[in-house]
Amino acid sequence: MNKHLKLVREFNDAFSLPQAEPGATIRLSDMDVVLRQALLMDAGSAALKAIKSGDMVEILAGLVNLAYSALGAVAMQGGDVTDLPVTWRHDGFVLSVMRALSDKINHCTSGSSDDYSAVYCLCIHLTRSFINADFDKAFQMIHDGKLSKPAKIPDLSDCLYE
């Protein structure tokens, strides 16, 4: 099982959020797809607003939170992450980032675990190639912050390489 998906499943267990047993192939209900789409759109909006402001730490937080939301949908289905290739290349334009994120989020209206995995894989790729940051460390820090009581917003500046 994907290490980040394990963390999301741990979070879901800690807060009694619904998720299928690992290995199950549960199809999301229409209302679950709508809820997951709303969560993805909120997280995607936060990432795009951070890109507009140019704050690298906020962009990193936005991408990690978007990936976390996408993995939440995979956990609900009981699946595992499908490692999908990412075709986005750094071209210097933020509009290409916006298009890539928006397109991947839009495809999640299918409710398919592969489409949620594609969002997750894109977030990793953008974190490493667009903002040059440590996705694994940032994901762990956000996860730890979500589990702490009260929930803490971590400072992800240590996750940036430059």
Side-chain angles (χ1 to χ4, degrees):
M1 180 183 297
N2 175 283
K3 63 185 172 184
H4 299 128
L5 181 58
K6 283 182 185 177
L7 295 174
V8 170
R9 292 186 68 78
E10 175 187 321
F11 174 82
N12 290 348
D13 284 341
F15 292 95
S16 301
L17 298 174
Q19 63 184 356
E21 290 298 317
T25 52
I26 306 296
R27 175 121 176 97
L28 295 178
S29 71
D30 289 351
M31 294 315 294
D32 285 335
V33 172
V34 170
L35 171 63
R36 290 329 241 161
Q37 194 66 17
L39 294 172
L40 289 174
M41 290 173 76
D42 285 346
S45 176
L48 292 175
K49 286 176 183 171
I51 290 170
K52 181 187 176 293
S53 74
D55 185 332
M56 300 305 265
V57 173
E58 288 299 314
I59 296 170
L60 176 58
L63 291 172
V64 171
N65 280 315
L66 178 57
Y68 211 99
S69 292
L71 291 178
V74 174
M76 282 184 75
Q77 296 176 2
D80 200 355
V81 172
T82 306
D83 206 11
L84 299 167
V86 175
T87 57
W88 183 84
R89 292 183 306 150
H90 196 304
D91 62 4
F93 297 104
V94 295
L95 285 180
S96 69
V97 175
M98 181 210 56
R99 280 187 203 104
L101 285 171
S102 297
D103 288 347
K104 295 294 182 198
I105 291 169
N106 186 50
H107 286 130
C108 291
T109 58
S110 70
S112 166
S113 186
D114 285 347
D115 288 330
Y116 295 114
S117 291
V119 170
Y120 165 75
C121 291
L122 179 62
C123 289
I124 292 173
H125 184 77
L126 291 175
T127 297
R128 293 178 179 158
S129 65
F130 179 61
I131 61 172
N132 194 26
D134 185 339
F135 181 85
D136 294 329
K137 183 176 180 180
F139 197 96
Q140 185 68 56
M141 290 174 71
I142 284 182
H143 173 72
D144 292 345
K146 287 176 181 278
L147 285 178
S148 66
K149 295 180 183 172
K152 294 180 187 174
I153 299 173
D155 177 9
L156 301 178
S157 56
D158 286 346
C159 300
L160 298 172
Y161 291 129
E162 293 180 5

